[in-house]
Amino acid sequence: MASLPDPVIGGVSIINLGLLVSIGLSSLQRVNLSSTRNLAVLGTSMYIGLVSSEWLKRSKDTINTGNASLDQVLKLMLGTQMFVAGLTSIILDNTVKGTKEERGIKNMSYFDTGSGNHLLDKHQSVYDVPGVSKLQRKFRIFRHIPFLQPYRLNEPVNL
């Protein structure tokens, strides 16, 4: 990596970060983006994510819990724009009133633990996040986290 010229690293970074953003935005494909509610949630969460990290850089001594390690962890987490924007969007999406169609919940894949289809079960074990599937089977609330959706093929939504 050290021997690569800076323009090459810059070009690779642009492509990688562009793909990362587009993958994140592709999760919005089932959401009604003509809804004022969804635009407000999306815009507010992106704005808070961008502004909070800049605010944290300018006011370095704002977080002072008395524990230096905890202060560093909080500064790192709250200084990461994606974390703050994601957390804000999860909170807003679950607290601001909206219909299931508007939020995209009606189009989510259905979580079923025993379909009897061994090929489907094999794919589920490959694509699901390790450990999260067990939590989703045990606690229904974990099935509604937007970025931890269970892997299922062509099954209807029954919420």
Side-chain angles (χ1 to χ4, degrees):
M1 287 294 289
S3 65
L4 291 174
D6 287 342
V8 172
I9 292 176
V12 170
S13 296
I14 288 172
I15 298 295
N16 283 337
L17 293 175
L19 284 172
L20 182 67
V21 169
S22 63
I23 288 170
L25 291 176
S26 74
S27 66
L28 298 174
Q29 64 186 334
R30 294 182 184 102
V31 175
N32 181 5
L33 288 178
S34 62
S35 164
T36 307
R37 176 215 179 263
N38 291 338
L39 291 175
V41 168
L42 180 63
T44 303
S45 61
M46 289 177 73
Y47 182 74
I48 288 176
L50 292 171
V51 170
S52 66
S53 66
E54 190 62 34
W55 171 77
L56 196 59
K57 287 179 192 173
R58 292 184 184 199
S59 51
K60 296 184 187 289
D61 296 332
T62 303
I63 298 177
N64 187 6
T65 61
N67 184 344
S69 298
L70 181 60
D71 289 347
Q72 283 182 325
V73 169
L74 289 175
K75 286 179 184 177
L76 177 69
M77 287 176 25
L78 297 176
T80 306
Q81 298 168 349
M82 263 197 298
F83 175 78
V84 175
L87 182 65
T88 305
S89 66
I90 289 170
I91 291 170
L92 288 176
D93 189 45
N94 288 307
T95 56
V96 176
K97 194 172 190 169
T99 64
K100 289 183 179 182
E101 292 87 7
E102 199 175 37
R103 296 176 62 202
I105 293 176
K106 205 110 167 131
N107 298 330
M108 278 189 202
S109 59
Y110 180 70
F111 186 83
D112 186 18
T113 55
S115 66
N117 187 343
H118 299 295
L119 181 62
L120 191 58
D121 292 337
K122 179 182 172 187
H123 284 187
Q124 180 181 355
S125 65
V126 170
Y127 291 113
D128 274 347
V129 180
V132 174
S133 300
K134 291 178 184 176
L135 284 174
Q136 288 174 328
R137 281 187 208 102
K138 195 169 188 176
F139 303 105
R140 291 183 61 93
I141 191 75
F142 288 113
R143 300 176 194 174
H144 300 288
I145 299 173
F147 56 88
L148 288 177
Q149 288 302 305
Y151 178 77
R152 278 308 202 193
L153 296 173
N154 300 328
E155 292 196 20
V157 178
N158 294 331
L159 293 175

